[in-house]
Amino acid sequence: MANKASHITDRAGAALERATDPRPHRSDRVPGPSPNPATNLIINDIILRSVGRLSRLTVEKALLGRQYSKEFAKEAVENRSLLHTLAAYGVTKVATRSVPGALVVGAGLAAKTLYDRAQSKKSARRNGDRMLKKQADPDAAI
């Protein structure tokens, strides 16, 4: 198909293929341990998602661990509610699917930052600390 790449990931994938494939016009099998390309795609997806999740959790714990104890940071990151996790996933999905989605999410994050800055520093920190303490409590309902 001579379909023009319409998404940034399409363009990046095509550029990556051109850079790494010595014969970009020849149809190659999907790399992986299985002769079935669908299985290889699932394996690659699971590996990429696992590495992404591990690196994200590590960075989040490191960021919180700078201000709080390592134990508190671990609890706060690992005890997030399913609702919080799904909301973050949904917002990320909206932000990465289109430019308007990224603009809406970016505007929302900017608005939240401006709202937090409009409060006194003490009040904003207290609210953030309160939320993190709830999140760190495995029995809290958030």
Side-chain angles (χ1 to χ4, degrees):
M1 280 183 216
N3 197 4
K4 185 176 178 185
S6 61
H7 195 269
I8 190 167
T9 56
D10 298 332
R11 291 189 294 268
L16 184 61
E17 182 177 4
R18 282 191 305 274
T20 60
D21 193 353
R23 299 174 297 208
H25 300 296
R26 183 172 176 223
S27 179
D28 295 325
R29 66 183 195 92
V30 176
S34 173
N36 182 334
T39 301
N40 289 334
L41 188 60
I42 291 170
I43 291 169
N44 290 329
D45 187 38
I46 290 169
I47 291 170
L48 286 172
R49 288 177 190 273
S50 298
V51 169
R53 178 173 161 73
L54 290 173
S55 61
R56 186 181 66 251
L57 292 175
T58 301
V59 169
E60 290 172 349
K61 289 176 188 177
L63 288 173
L64 283 177
R66 291 180 61 128
Q67 183 171 351
Y68 303 97
S69 70
K70 289 182 181 180
E71 295 79 24
F72 179 81
K74 179 180 182 340
E75 292 293 323
V77 170
E78 292 181 0
N79 288 330
R80 274 188 278 218
S81 69
L82 183 59
L83 179 64
H84 182 264
T85 302
L86 290 175
Y89 176 78
V91 169
T92 303
K93 194 75 163 174
V94 168
T96 57
R97 290 189 67 114
S98 67
V99 173
L103 292 174
V104 167
V105 170
L109 293 173
K112 173 62 172 140
T113 301
L114 291 173
Y115 172 76
D116 288 346
R117 286 179 169 262
Q119 297 179 16
S120 70
K121 284 186 179 183
K122 188 175 183 179
S123 174
R125 282 193 189 118
R126 190 175 31 236
N127 289 338
D129 286 342
R130 193 176 307 124
M131 184 63 183
L132 285 173
K133 285 178 185 173
K134 279 185 186 176
Q135 193 170 302
D137 182 5
D139 297 326
I142 56 168

